[in-house]
Every structure is written in structure tokens, then in C-alpha cells.
Amino acid sequence: MALDIFLLLVGMVLLVKGADLFVGGSSRIAKAMRVPSLVIGLTLVSMGTSAPEASVSIIGAVNGMNDLSVGNVVGSNIFNTLLILGVSGAILPLAIGRDVKRFDIPAMLAIYAALLIFAFVVTPLKLDIFEAVILLVMFAAYTAFLIVRAVRANKKTQTTPSGIACGDGAAEQSCEKTDAPQTAAPAPIEAQSDNEGNRAKNKRSLPLWASAILTAVGLAGIIFGGDLVVDSASGIAKALGMSEALVGLTIVAVGTSLPELVTSVVAAVKKENDIAVGNIIGSNIFNIAFILGLSSAISAPMFDWAMLTDMLVMLGSGILVLAAAVFIKSVARWQGIAMAAMYVGYLAYIIIRN
């Protein structure tokens, strides 16, 4: 068990440093390409940090361990919403943007509702291949919608108030002369960062290829660190006599979500709110629609009625975030602390239940 404890610490270090590089690199890429940080958080960051969940669930489905696949993604989503958003909001209040409130959180809730209806109404206590394909189609539709939003946002940042598109050859000089103080491309986006001055200059001077390398190295650290944490924590749990079911619901779900935790906390500390929030919402959608959809298409999972409680908690946590977005427009410190406390209560419940 001593080796497992050592590997657990190594994995934690890799997660922290990897997340730091990943958030910094992806943020620079977003700004260099004039793509909103929110879109990067909802796609590149969320999918990258969900790689451990994808690995565990898909390998579990291939090996016929469907309980592990389902418990992993549902448990991870509850952890993501209640604990990660809670901890991030407790560190620094997280503003929830209008687009997240209007599009992304409702999309997440729609996917949650579809899973509940499929698993307990349409085909009770199982998820067949047709329903798995529907989840995959929902993910594809959401991804296409994100791309359309990114293209529209990019066009908006390249267009001056007079309607002249910057970067179109002859129009470039006009943009430089007439709209230098108001140009929507890199300066205003950089200005959204808390530290303008030297930090902004360093971000602009870093080549795009170097940012891409930083992002890739960070992602590798996150994935490898997450694997180390899950494997070593599972070894510790087994040495202490915990059941496989309890390990799947707690250690595996929490362990595979550690990349999201570290990434969102680091983003919150760096005041990259869009990445912090977008990472969680995007990961939740990716976990259910893509990971569970794909693993269920490989091997149809069977459920028990206890899983209904877990899925309702997952749905309720999403509704809680929507309520915060609609009525308060942020996750304040007191809300973050309350959400983290809710997760501790849920964790105690499933330990007692199992």
C-alpha cells in the first residue's frame, strides 16, 4: 500500500501542473484564434479533462463491467457539479454568462432527462443500442451548435461597429485607422484578463505552436496523473477492504473527475470564469451523451432502482446550477460552500447505502 500512496501523490502533482499548463495553453490558443474562452472550455478543455472517464467507461463496457461504466459517469457528473463548481465558487465567485444560461445548461438538463426517460420509462432498467445512438446524436448536434456559435462569435470580433470586417485585405488599413481603440480582436479579449500589462504582452508574444505544445503537455499530465490517481486509490481502497461497487461509485468516479477539479480550480484562481464553468458543463454533457452513449452502444447496461436516486441527484444538481444562473447569475461563495456540503452528504448516503 505504501507504493500506492506514493503513486497517488505523484498523480496529484501531475494533475496540478498539467492543469496549469493546459488552462494557460488553451486560453492563449482561444485568444490567438479569436475564439471565446467559453467555447474552448465547453469543447477542448471539457473533452480533454473527460479523457479518464472515457477510458474507464469504454474499457469497462468492452470487458462487460457495465455497472462501472454507468456509475463512473453519473458519479463524476454529480462530483463535477456539486463539488467542483462548489469549490471553484468558494474560491472566487463564478459569473455564469447569458449563453451558458440560455443554451448550455438547458442542453445538459435535456440530456439528463433523456437518460432518465430511456433508463426507467422507455426500456425500464436498461439502455438499448437505439437509445445509445440517440444520445450520440444529441452530442453531435450539440457539438455542431457550438461550432456555429464559435464561427458567429469570431465574425463578430472581426467586424467593427461600422460593419467593416478586419483582416480583409484593403479593409485592414481602415480598421487600424478608425477602430484602433475599439477593435474586438486580440486587445479587448486580452483586456478581459485580470493581469493586463506584462502578462498580456507575454501571451501575445508566445507563438501559437508553443501554446499548442503547452496544451498537449498539460493534457498528457492530466490524463497520466488521473490514471495514476485512480489506480493507486483503487489499490488503497481494496487494501482497506472496500467493495468493488463502492470503489466504482466513489474512488473511480472522484478519481476520474480530478482533472476537471484541478482544471476548474486553476481557471477560477486565474479568473478564467468561462473556462471554469464551461469545463464543467461541457464535461457533464460529454460524459452522458458521448461516453455513456458510446459505452452503451458497445454493451447495453442494466440498471437497478438504486441508480434512479443517483440520476435524480444528478438532475437536481443541474437544476440547482440553472436556478443560480437565472436568479443570481453566478455561483457565490456561500452557494459554493453549500454545494460542496451537499456532495459530502450525498457521499455519506451512498457509502451507507452500499
Side-chain angles (χ1 to χ4, degrees):
M1 193 168 75
L3 177 60
D4 286 326
I5 294 174
F6 172 74
L7 292 176
L8 181 67
L9 295 175
V10 172
M12 292 287 190
V13 172
L14 286 173
L15 280 172
V16 172
K17 189 58 183 174
D20 185 41
L21 292 174
F22 192 64
V23 171
S26 59
S27 176
R28 289 185 179 97
I29 291 173
K31 291 172 173 62
M33 299 179 67
R34 300 170 184 171
V35 174
S37 294
L38 175 62
V39 174
I40 293 295
L42 286 164
T43 54
L44 176 65
V45 177
S46 63
M47 292 177 192
T49 55
S50 288
E53 284 96 330
S55 176
V56 169
S57 292
I58 293 170
I59 292 173
V62 170
N63 294 329
M65 301 170 65
N66 292 324
D67 288 345
L68 179 63
S69 298
V70 177
N72 176 38
V73 295
V74 173
S76 293
N77 278 22
I78 295 170
F79 182 85
N80 287 350
T81 306
L82 291 181
L83 192 70
I84 298 180
L85 270 185
V87 170
S88 300
I91 292 173
L92 189 73
L94 296 176
I96 300 177
R98 185 181 64 176
D99 282 355
V100 175
K101 178 179 69 176
R102 292 173 58 195
F103 303 123
D104 304 304
I105 298 176
M108 179 182 71
L109 292 177
I111 290 170
Y112 286 176
L115 176 62
L116 272 165
I117 293 170
F118 290 157
F120 296 100
V121 178
V122 180
T123 53
L125 301 183
K126 68 178 182 178
L127 198 66
D128 66 23
I129 189 168
F130 178 71
E131 293 162 335
V133 170
I134 292 176
L135 289 176
L136 290 171
V137 169
M138 292 176 76
F139 175 74
Y142 175 72
T143 303
F145 177 62
L146 280 182
I147 293 172
V148 171
R149 280 167 60 186
V151 170
R152 288 178 178 174
N154 197 21
K155 287 181 179 178
K156 187 179 293 186
T157 60
Q158 291 178 340
T159 304
T160 65
S162 60
I164 301 174
C166 295
D168 290 339
E172 242 175 3
Q173 292 179 352
S174 176
C175 291
E176 289 174 3
K177 291 177 182 178
T178 60
D179 289 303
Q182 308 178 37
T183 303
I189 298 178
E190 287 288 345
Q192 292 174 6
S193 177
D194 183 61
N195 301 314
E196 297 179 358
N198 293 331
R199 185 181 169 195
K201 290 179 183 177
N202 290 337
K203 283 189 177 183
R204 282 194 293 269
S205 63
L206 191 67
L208 187 60
W209 62 266
S211 297
I213 291 176
L214 282 178
T215 304
V217 170
L219 179 58
I222 288 171
I223 295 173
F224 187 56
D227 286 340
L228 276 180
V229 168
V230 172
D231 292 342
S232 57
S234 296
I236 293 170
K238 290 175 184 177
L240 295 174
M242 296 174 67
S243 69
E244 289 287 343
L246 187 56
V247 169
L249 285 166
T250 56
I251 301 296
V252 175
V254 172
T256 54
S257 288
L258 284 178
E260 286 94 333
L261 172 62
V262 179
T263 300
S264 286
V265 168
V266 170
V269 170
K270 292 185 174 183
K271 299 185 179 179
E272 293 281 3
N273 278 17
D274 284 343
I275 288 182
V277 176
N279 172 42
I280 297 305
I281 304 301
S283 291
N284 288 350
I285 292 172
F286 185 74
N287 286 349
I288 299 298
F290 181 77
I291 296 176
L292 186 57
L294 183 57
S295 61
S296 298
I298 294 170
S299 178
M302 302 295 291
F303 304 104
D304 57 33
W305 288 106
M307 186 59 69
L308 175 61
T309 301
D310 301 312
M311 290 188 185
L312 288 174
V313 171
M314 180 178 71
L315 178 64
S317 66
I319 293 172
L320 185 64
V321 174
L322 180 62
V326 171
F327 297 108
I328 307 176
K329 297 181 176 60
S330 69
V331 177
R333 281 195 173 91
W334 69 268
Q335 290 171 305
I337 294 170
M339 290 167 70
M342 288 178 192
Y343 181 77
V344 172
Y346 168 74
L347 191 62
Y349 162 72
I350 61 172
I351 291 172
I352 294 170
R353 186 182 74 189
N354 285 275

